[in-house]
Amino acid sequence: MMGDGEVSSWAVREQLERIERSGQFAGSDKLAVLLRHLVEEVLAGRAAGLKEGPIGNAIYAREPAYDPRFDSTVRVEARRLRRKLAAYYAEPSPQDRVRIDLPTGTYVPLFTWLAPTESQALPEADGGLFRPGTGAAVLILPLTPLSGGAQDVIFADELTDELIFALEKAEGYRVASRQIAFRYRNTGAPIAAVAQELSADGVIHGTVRRAGAVLRVTVELADPSGFAVWSDRFDGHVETPEDGLILQERIAATILSRLRFDSSAMRSGAAGPRPQAIKASAQVYRARQLLDQQTPQALRQALGLFRQVSDTTSDYARGYSGIADCHLDLFRLGLIDHATASREAAAAVRKALSIDGKSVEAHTARATVAAWLDWDRAVAEEAFKTAMALGENARCVRLYGAFRAFCGHHGDAIRLFARARAMEPISTQLECAEALCRFATRHFHDASAMAPVGGTQPAEALYYRALSLTFAGRREAALALAERLDGLDRDIPMLALAAAEVRAWAGAPSDAQQRLGLSVYGGTAFARATLALSLGRHDVALDLLSEAMEAREPGVVWIRTDPRFDAVRDDPRFTALKEFLRPESLAPTALR
């Protein structure tokens, strides 16, 4: 219910989003769903209906219907929610303007404005993250070999050289020379003292340790006070000097790709970072690590970090473009619907471009919205080319490669994927994009040969590799990959039926037949459509494809080339559905 002062619905929803992405609610998705349901019911004028039974049926669906006489779930969860809200407001954010409470004895939330004494005042604006300058001054200290062997000492020194070389090439960075860096080897000098002596904005340091043929490299960035603000870890098999050189190049390129400031003023050498910029950079770096995991939990954590950056900075577009990136990936995996992805991503892109009209990441997000949400090839092509012209960015190059594959230009796609891999060699997202594009464009051998069957790959890449093996006639190998898919990422709707589908295409359809008609197994409409095709259920597949088209699920954009649809290509219903892909038949998101 509304408290004194009539708290506006927009202010309540703004506060609700802030609570949902707070640390107190991290990992408490069910409580967040309950809170949103209660809040939205009140805002819709349905507070009188917030009783235990209706809430149980709406949130915790039961068969038979929820009965509060025998089921205490709502009461228990409400108590937990009250404790979570109390913990949240015990450490309020400076941006909090509204208090949301759930009084004991009721399921109707109460909204009140926070008094000025309860809400910390925002600090005086100090010019934002950036100041006039010539980029960020960075010192890379010699990495420390922990295992002590002569070869590991050489590897550590060579990796230090590779990091210095990589960052020296990056726009927006000034890197201390090797001569200066190695002056501090084994001195034990405190990082804060070294940073002060060189007026460094950040210090990169790390360790190398060996376990048999495996080298583990841990790298940290410390701020000028000596506190670590981000860290990363890389493992690789190193048995020969050539193995070592390859691993060094991969690590240095990946760190450089993730570390870039997406600021046109920094890239041009017209600005440098203020101290708080290092913290923002660390949050973005961590968010990019999470984005690369491509799991529901990691994507939501990344979204929370990007929102923190956007909430606390006024002159850095990366927080908002990151919000768009997360919504686009959540949509691609079937975790949010088209309307939500379009609304949130488009708004974030507009905000990012208003902050920095030359942001590479913002133009990349704009292109991705046009390509995968609006299906507007002309706008996507123009935005990708703008982003590519503005600066080096692995995400941009990778997504442009996927777009060129979608447009039927496979040669362009392969060249762009190779370029993206050179820029960021250690990338789960690139493995997924390559496997999908090569399967959907019928380059089965390329996709199936991307990695050995025993290698470690994300579930999405395994899925498309397995399909490629099947359509290449290598059914035993495909079935082996299906075994590895079992149980992986069942909480991802796009992949919920992956193992069953692969088995069906490979001639073992028993579990696919069981799963097709049972919603308990989940899966998007598109995933169920391809499962139906694997069973020869063409009418069912076309019904489901029509449903996927209506929802504008991401997989449908590939049906012109996807080999799984060959059996229905001459069907008039399929022809009509293909026409729905024409850009002029859609209402584009307002990004122009």
Side-chain angles (χ1 to χ4, degrees):
M1 58 186 292
M2 295 294 183
D4 296 337
E6 277 303 305
V7 181
S8 62
S9 59
W10 67 262
V12 172
R13 289 193 174 99
E14 183 180 55
Q15 182 64 31
L16 177 61
E17 292 180 358
R18 192 171 291 117
I19 291 171
E20 287 174 333
R21 62 181 185 253
S22 68
Q24 286 81 0
F25 277 73
S28 300
D29 292 351
K30 290 183 179 179
L31 289 183
V33 169
L34 174 59
L35 178 60
R36 177 164 286 277
H37 175 74
L38 300 179
V39 168
E40 290 294 346
E41 288 296 289
V42 171
L43 296 181
R46 295 190 290 267
L50 286 176
K51 307 296 183 183
E52 189 172 348
I55 294 170
N57 285 314
I59 304 297
Y60 311 105
R62 298 285 195 272
E63 188 60 44
Y66 183 92
D67 189 338
R69 294 174 301 173
F70 308 107
D71 194 336
S72 62
T73 300
V74 173
R75 297 190 296 276
V76 171
E77 291 298 275
R79 285 196 294 269
R80 292 183 61 217
L81 179 57
R82 292 185 184 101
R83 290 196 294 269
K84 284 284 186 182
L85 288 170
Y88 174 84
Y89 284 107
E91 298 178 356
S93 163
Q95 287 78 37
D96 287 337
R97 300 175 60 240
V98 175
R99 186 180 183 97
I100 300 177
D101 286 305
L102 186 62
T104 302
T106 181
Y107 298 109
V108 179
L110 176 68
F111 315 133
T112 53
W113 290 110
L114 281 173
T117 54
E118 296 179 70
S119 180
Q120 301 174 20
L122 287 172
E124 290 284 322
D126 64 353
L129 290 186
F130 305 106
R131 54 170 172 74
T134 56
V138 177
L139 169 67
I140 301 173
L141 290 174
L143 274 67
T144 303
L146 299 181
S147 44
Q151 291 303 313
D152 294 349
V153 173
I154 293 172
F155 179 91
D157 286 353
E158 289 177 344
L159 179 53
T160 304
D161 287 340
E162 195 66 37
L163 288 168
I164 292 172
F165 175 74
L167 261 71
E168 279 179 337
K169 297 188 298 180
E171 294 177 326
Y173 284 96
R174 294 181 291 113
V175 183
S177 69
R178 185 184 192 279
Q179 182 181 18
I180 293 175
F182 276 82
R183 193 174 71 197
Y184 293 98
R185 187 217 288 269
N186 299 326
T187 63
I191 287 177
V194 174
Q196 182 177 10
E197 181 179 345
L198 297 178
S199 299
D201 297 305
V203 177
I204 293 175
H205 61 108
T207 60
V208 176
R209 54 180 165 171
R210 178 181 291 276
V214 176
L215 280 184
R216 169 164 290 179
V217 176
T218 303
V219 182
E220 289 183 350
L221 172 68
D223 65 16
S225 61
F227 285 90
V229 293
W230 64 251
S231 64
D232 213 336
R233 190 174 70 188
F234 306 90
D235 292 341
H237 284 265
V238 176
E239 297 181 352
T240 68
E242 183 180 5
D243 292 340
L245 290 174
I246 292 172
L247 181 60
Q248 292 158 18
E249 291 173 358
R250 293 177 67 202
I251 292 172
T254 300
I255 288 175
L256 171 60
S257 179
R258 295 176 180 174
L259 191 60
R260 292 181 189 274
F261 270 109
D262 183 42
S263 163
S264 58
M266 284 275 289
R267 290 198 309 272
S268 66
R274 297 181 188 276
Q276 58 267 40
I278 302 301
K279 179 181 179 181
S281 173
Q283 289 175 302
V284 168
Y285 192 103
R286 175 58 180 152
R288 291 197 58 172
Q289 289 174 305
L290 290 165
L291 264 179
D292 199 54
Q293 293 179 25
Q294 291 293 288
T295 65
Q297 182 180 8
L299 288 175
R300 292 185 178 111
Q301 288 176 336
L303 179 59
L305 287 171
F306 282 126
R307 279 177 166 157
Q308 286 179 31
V309 172
S310 67
D311 283 347
T312 56
T313 62
S314 60
D315 57 345
Y316 193 27
R318 188 63 181 104
Y320 288 100
S321 61
I323 290 171
D325 294 343
C326 290
H327 281 94
L328 287 159
D329 281 358
L330 288 167
F331 168 67
R332 186 179 59 79
L333 296 180
L335 295 161
I336 60 175
D337 60 26
H338 182 275
T340 301
S342 293
R343 181 181 66 251
E344 300 296 332
V349 169
R350 286 194 296 271
K351 183 66 176 178
L353 289 171
S354 72
I355 294 172
D356 187 349
K358 295 183 178 180
S359 161
V360 180
E361 299 274 8
H363 282 282
T364 299
R366 178 174 182 263
T368 311
V369 169
W372 308 114
L373 294 177
D374 295 345
W375 301 344
D376 191 326
R377 297 187 186 190
V379 171
E381 181 74 24
E382 177 264 331
F384 273 125
K385 287 183 175 178
T386 299
M388 296 274 285
L390 286 170
E392 292 284 305
N393 184 278
R395 181 178 177 87
C396 175
V397 175
R398 168 174 52 81
L399 290 170
Y400 190 33
F403 174 71
R404 294 300 287 171
F406 160 55
C407 293
H409 302 286
H410 183 71
D412 288 351
I414 295 304
R415 286 189 288 273
L416 287 163
F417 287 147
R419 181 174 169 187
R421 189 168 295 283
M423 295 166 65
E424 189 169 340
I426 304 171
S427 171
T428 292
Q429 295 170 86
L430 180 56
E431 290 184 45
C432 295
E434 283 193 274
L436 163 61
C437 293
R438 294 184 180 191
F439 168 73
T441 56
R442 301 170 184 260
H443 290 76
F444 305 133
H445 176 73
D446 291 344
S448 61
M450 281 177 57
V453 172
T456 57
Q457 275 192 315
E460 186 180 355
L462 286 175
Y463 172 47
Y464 289 112
R465 279 191 58 223
L467 289 173
S468 293
L469 286 165
T470 300
F471 280 81
R474 299 175 58 192
R475 292 178 176 172
E476 291 301 319
L479 288 171
L481 283 189
E483 291 297 317
R484 294 174 57 196
L485 279 168
D486 266 327
L488 286 179
D489 298 323
R490 285 184 177 173
D491 53 346
I492 298 179
M494 185 194 79
L495 298 174
L497 305 171
E501 183 192 343
V502 170
R503 290 193 183 97
W505 286 116
S510 58
D511 58 340
Q513 291 170 344
Q514 179 186 25
R515 290 168 184 256
L516 180 59
L518 298 178
S519 60
V520 69
Y521 291 109
T524 62
F526 185 79
R528 285 177 294 163
T530 57
L531 184 68
L533 286 169
S534 72
L535 295 169
R537 303 281 297 278
H538 297 167
D539 287 341
V540 174
L542 289 170
D543 288 341
L544 289 166
L545 181 59
S546 179
E547 182 182 332
M549 283 285 190
E550 187 67 26
R552 290 169 70 171
E553 292 181 3
V556 300
V557 301
W558 296 101
I559 66 172
R560 293 180 185 275
T561 56
D562 190 326
R564 292 173 290 184
F565 292 90
D566 285 354
V568 295
R569 288 202 183 278
D570 295 331
D571 191 300
R573 291 179 63 192
F574 183 77
T575 302
L577 288 170
K578 280 198 305 181
E579 291 302 306
F580 190 71
L581 287 171
R582 292 184 180 275
E584 57 266 25
S585 69
L586 302 172
T589 306
L591 277 181
R592 292 178 176 81

